[in-house]
Structure formats: structure tokens, C-alpha cells
Amino acid sequence: MYLLRLISRNAWRHKLRSILTVLGLMVATISFGFLQTVVDAWYAGAEGAASTTLVTRNATSLVFPLPLSYQARIRAVEGVNRVGYANWFGGIYQDPKNFFAQFAVSGASYLDIYPDYIMPEADRAAFLRDRKGAIVGRKLANQYGFKVGDTIPIKGTIYPGQWEFVVRAIYDGRKETTNTATMFFHWDYVNEGLKKIYPRRANQVGVYVVQIGQPENAAAISGAIDAQFRNSLAETLTETEKAFQLGFVSMSEAIVVAVRIVSFVVILIIMAVMANTMAMSARERLAEYATLKVLGFGPGFLAALIFGESLLLAGVGCLLGVLLLFPLASGFAQAMGTMFPVFQVAPLTVLQQVLAALAVGVVAAIAPTLRAARVNIVEGLRSIG
């Protein structure tokens, strides 16, 4: 207890310096955690992908569609349990700034593959009955005030025209990491319109979503699906949903890497600041360390004093940073709307913050400890003054 009181008194002896150091550590911890959370949000879609879900797309590029007739042939592949399909719609709601994901899907066959989308059975049935029906996520509904029964006008970009959809259900996520910022509606409804205005674009889909029984069979089933359409006009590429999602992340990989680097640079900078603070404290206390040596206290005691002070300051800064990160992340998520469908501080991020703060505290104390341990008693006592 005596040692702890001494460490506490030393840490707050120069209040202004200690407060500024703690504030610097707090800002660094918040910045590190926030940037790591941004990276996690980038990978949220891939991390939330089911291991039993495959995605089949055009082998040439995702922008090229696949014939609707492929559905039955994919379903016939051994090991396939369900097949659904989806088209990225890319429409505009009121203003181009109001961006959110919209998918025209195959209805029940698509929803059955994603049990994490939770909604009342009555609402689900109403959506399936209404060809103009739509399902919106809870986050999307909260942002724009959508309610069951509302009509949502969407101006098509990929599929030109003015489209109207009726909200029949609002879905919640089974898990906190489930994306609830998406709108789903029936491809059949869009397809009927295309048959009238753009018949050549009708009866085609963007991707097929395939549910299989065992994850270990993913490679074999993917190969079997692609083999069916080899040398056809629309060859396919089938991969796991996680690999499919990571393909989008790789398009902005340079940004993700830059964010990661910046997060660690912040820690290195505050480590240098902390080391300088501890070095200043050690220089000022050379006479005290010499006096302690005269009284019989060894290098271990001096090391405990210096490391304790450094870790105490780092711990207080880390604690404040962790506590403030959660409201900051929540406020940022609300401000960004649907730009980041999943933006939550992960337990791993908090652990990384703590470990980074401990590393800062330990590294900053090494040089002052070595200096204190090697101080000559006579020279140390001369520094009184």
C-alpha cells in the first residue's frame, strides 16, 4: 500500500504535466479505437457472411447478368439446399444524397437463406403476397421514418423509370452485426416492367445466392455449379459469400491499409510523448533516487516506482479513451446514416486499446528506469539544487 501511495503521489506531483499526458493518451486511445472500428465496419459484411452460403455471378464481371433459367440448374446440383437470386437496383429516393442499398430479390427463396432477418410472420406473408411490397431494415426505417404501409417512390438508375414500393415489413437483425440498412423488394415486379420497356434486359439476374448443407463441401459444389455453365455465353464464378464480400473490400484495400497504418502511427506518437514525459520526471528526481539508494532501496524498488507511475498515467488515459469511444462511435454511426450499416466497437478493439496503452506505459518507462538504476549516488546527490 505504501508503494502504491508513493506511485500515486509521484504521478500527480506535476498536475498540469500529468493532466496533459493523460489527455494525450486519451485522445490517442480514442483515435486508435475509432480507426480500428472503421476498419471493422469495412469488413462487417464479410465477417457476417454465413459459411454455408455461396454466391454465383458472371465469370467475366459482376456487371454482366446471368439468365434467370440458371436457377433450376443450380438447384439440381447435389449438395445445394436452396437457391435465391438478387439484383442491385441502385435507385434514388427523393435526392441522390439519400443513398442506401436496394435489392430486387426472389422473395421467399431469398429470405429463407437469411434467417438473421427477423420480422413478424404476418408482415412477411404480406410482403410475399404483394408484388409491389418491400422490406426495409430497422436502421433504414428509423433514419427515413418508414412505417409499414408507406409508399416509397424510387427513381431507377440502372433500371430507368419511376418505381413505387409499399413497405410491408420492417426487419430486425438476429445479431447486433446484422445489416439492417437495406431495402428488399420483388424482382418479379421489376422484371414485368422491363419486359414492357427493355425486353432484352428482362429475365436476367445479378447473382444467385446458394445455400449448402456443409461448409466443407463449398469448393466441390462451387466447381460443380461452374462446370455446368462452362463454355456457355454466360459462364459463372461461384465462391463463398465471404470471398464475394471481400472482393468489394479489396477494391478499397489501399484505403483500409492506410487507416490501419495511421491508427498505429498515433500510438507511436503518443509513445514518444509519454517517453519524454517520463524522462523529464526521471531527470528531476535523480537526487531522490540517489537518496533512496543511500537508504538501502535497490534498483527493483526504483523500477517499481517508475513503471508504476508510467502505467498509472497510461491506464487512466486508456480508461477515459475506452469510455468515450462508445458514445463517439454511436454518434458517428447516427451521423453517417446507412453509409456504415454496421458500426460497433468490438470487444477485440477494446482489448487492443488496453494492450496499446500498456505497451506505451511499459516502453516509456524503460529508459528512465535504466537511468535511475545506474545513477551514481554522489552525482545524484549533487543534482539537488
Side-chain angles (χ1 to χ4, degrees):
M1 293 299 294
Y2 172 77
L3 179 61
L4 293 177
R5 288 202 303 269
L6 191 57
I7 290 173
S8 179
R9 287 178 179 273
N10 279 342
W12 304 106
R13 184 183 300 184
H14 295 281
K15 291 184 174 58
L16 179 59
R17 180 194 300 168
S18 298
I19 290 173
L20 292 176
T21 302
V22 168
L23 288 176
L25 284 161
M26 179 190 72
V27 172
T29 304
I30 292 175
S31 301
F32 177 80
F34 182 78
L35 292 174
Q36 290 297 321
T37 303
V38 170
V39 173
D40 290 344
W42 231 296
Y43 285 95
E47 294 302 323
S51 59
T52 55
T53 304
L54 307 178
V55 176
T56 299
R57 64 174 178 86
N58 192 297
T60 303
S61 172
L62 187 60
V63 300
F64 295 105
L66 295 171
L68 189 58
S69 59
Y70 279 16
Q71 183 180 17
R73 296 175 64 182
I74 294 174
R75 181 66 183 85
V77 173
E78 184 178 356
V80 172
N81 294 344
R82 293 188 178 94
V83 180
Y85 52 81
N87 279 281
W88 173 262
F89 193 74
I92 296 173
Y93 172 65
Q94 293 182 340
D95 189 280
K97 296 180 181 178
N98 298 334
F99 170 82
F100 56 85
Q102 307 143 19
F103 287 95
V105 301
S106 56
S109 62
Y110 184 89
L111 294 180
D112 289 343
I113 298 175
Y114 293 98
D116 286 346
Y117 298 154
I118 306 299
M119 67 196 80
E121 282 299 324
D123 292 350
R124 175 188 165 110
F127 163 71
L128 296 177
R129 286 194 304 267
D130 186 358
R131 184 152 293 200
K132 296 177 65 175
I135 301 174
V136 298
R138 180 68 61 183
K139 185 173 183 178
L140 190 62
N142 291 341
Q143 180 175 352
Y144 293 102
F146 296 147
K147 300 183 296 297
V148 173
D150 287 354
T151 298
I152 302 177
I154 301 291
K155 181 181 179 181
T157 53
I158 301 174
Y159 304 98
Q162 191 70 27
W163 307 85
E164 290 189 347
F165 305 97
V166 180
V167 178
R168 294 302 181 191
I170 296 175
Y171 74 88
D172 293 288
R174 188 182 299 275
K175 298 178 290 187
E176 291 184 353
T177 54
T178 302
N179 182 353
T180 59
T182 305
M183 177 180 177
F184 300 102
F185 42 84
H186 294 282
W187 170 245
D188 287 346
Y189 169 57
V190 178
N191 198 36
E192 285 181 359
L194 290 178
K195 289 178 180 178
K196 299 176 182 177
I197 55 177
Y198 297 104
R200 291 185 178 181
R201 298 182 61 186
N203 296 327
Q204 299 183 79
V205 299
V207 297
Y208 285 97
V209 184
V210 182
Q211 186 181 66
I212 62 177
Q214 302 297 327
E216 58 268 23
N217 297 331
I221 295 174
S222 297
I225 292 173
D226 295 339
Q228 286 200 91
F229 308 108
R230 192 167 292 126
N231 298 322
S232 67
L233 293 177
E235 294 187 346
T236 62
L237 173 63
T238 304
E239 55 193 345
T240 63
E241 186 180 27
K242 184 173 184 177
F244 179 75
Q245 296 286 354
L246 288 175
F248 288 98
V249 176
S250 65
M251 297 178 186
S252 55
E253 187 175 6
I255 299 175
V256 176
V257 172
V259 172
R260 284 194 185 276
I261 292 174
V262 170
S263 68
F264 287 103
V265 167
V266 169
I267 295 299
L268 292 176
I269 291 173
I270 198 60
M271 189 178 290
V273 173
M274 183 74 177
N276 182 65
T277 299
M278 295 307 300
M280 292 174 61
S281 299
R283 285 196 300 269
E284 294 172 355
R285 298 171 190 168
L286 285 178
E288 297 177 18
Y289 298 150
T291 302
L292 288 171
K293 281 190 171 185
V294 170
L295 295 176
F297 292 97
F301 185 81
L302 298 180
L305 280 178
I306 297 172
F307 271 94
E309 179 181 349
S310 182
L311 289 172
L312 177 60
L313 293 175
V316 173
C318 176
L319 178 62
L320 293 175
V322 169
L323 293 177
L324 291 175
L325 176 61
F326 287 90
L328 175 65
S330 178
F332 179 81
Q334 292 181 0
M336 295 301 294
T338 58
M339 185 63 66
F340 288 102
V342 178
F343 195 86
Q344 293 180 329
V345 181
L348 179 60
T349 299
V350 176
L351 178 60
Q352 289 175 332
Q353 287 179 290
V354 174
L355 293 177
L358 289 175
V360 169
V362 170
V363 172
I366 292 175
T369 299
L370 293 175
R371 183 173 184 180
R374 296 171 181 173
V375 66
N376 182 278
I377 294 177
V378 175
E379 292 180 359
L381 293 174
R382 284 177 179 172
S383 67
I384 298 177

